[in-house]
Amino acid sequence: MPLIPEEPQIHESAQGPRTAPTPRPVPGPRPAAPSRPGRPGPPRPVPPVQRTPRDAATPAKPGPSGPAASAGTTPQIQLIPASAQGALDAAEEAVDLLLESGRAPGDVLVITTGAPHPWATHELSFGEVSYWAQHDAGDDVFYTDAGVAERAGARPVVVVAVNGGSRAVAASALSVAHARAGALLIVCGDPQQINSVLGTGV
């Protein structure tokens, strides 16, 4: 006796394709936005590594937050390979991931070794007093350059974009960044150059 087909049922697997999250490229083209600091977003972890390419990254445990995070600790170092032209884009991507993973904007300091970040240029147009007042407030991502980075205070996470400048400038920026970073130091730039600098006592 032939079976009468039952009412077709829609199985969960047929309700539409499910897409798995795909890695975001680093670096990628990003428009400059003066209002960049402090954008919130859904959680997405930043995978730190110890001076190895980003593809070999392993998930890191969340680091401590606040000024106490920088006292007596050695930060993890994550290297994100990028050309000098792409280092700032890579740093922006890293900041996005930090904020989306739940980091407070005030936890993050970004240092450039070449051209300053557009946000820093924009804010400095209103004068240094206003610019550094935002740093002291500590409630947003703060962007500065290697020439004045020593003036910046410690933060749990420091991101360095090696986007130009001499080897001496890069070495100075990395030294300052290492001293200021409480939990995590992310360096975006040429791995060979960065490792040669990091290997000289940073």
Side-chain angles (χ1 to χ4, degrees):
M1 180 179 212
L3 294 175
I4 300 173
E6 294 183 353
E7 189 85 7
Q9 296 184 9
I10 299 175
H11 294 281
E12 185 179 348
S13 62
Q15 292 177 356
R18 292 186 176 183
T19 56
T22 55
R24 295 169 66 178
V26 177
R30 300 179 56 83
S35 60
R36 168 68 189 77
R39 290 187 301 184
R44 185 191 330 243
V46 176
V49 295
Q50 296 294 334
R51 302 180 191 175
T52 58
R54 187 169 185 264
D55 290 342
T58 54
K61 296 179 181 178
S65 298
S70 59
T73 61
T74 300
Q76 280 189 304
I77 300 175
Q78 175 184 352
L79 172 59
I80 300 178
S83 65
Q85 295 75 23
L88 196 55
D89 287 335
E92 277 284 87
E93 182 76 8
V95 171
D96 277 345
L97 292 172
L98 287 164
L99 298 180
E100 291 168 3
S101 71
R103 275 286 179 189
D107 282 358
V108 184
L109 170 68
V110 180
I111 300 173
T112 57
T113 64
H117 187 277
W119 181 88
T121 302
H122 175 76
E123 294 303 322
L124 279 168
S125 69
F126 298 105
E128 286 199 14
V129 173
S130 172
Y131 172 73
W132 286 105
Q134 293 187 60
H135 166 272
D136 297 340
D139 55 6
D140 259 333
V141 179
F142 189 78
Y143 296 83
T144 189
D145 63 72
V148 294
E150 286 190 359
R151 185 171 171 180
R155 293 202 176 186
V157 182
V158 178
V159 181
V160 179
V162 184
N163 62 330
S166 66
R167 187 181 185 280
V169 169
S172 173
L174 289 172
S175 177
V176 171
H178 192 268
R180 300 294 186 272
L184 179 63
L185 170 60
I186 300 174
V187 187
C188 308
D190 177 69
Q192 184 175 357
Q193 178 188 10
I194 292 168
N195 282 321
S196 68
V197 172
L198 289 174
T200 58
V202 172

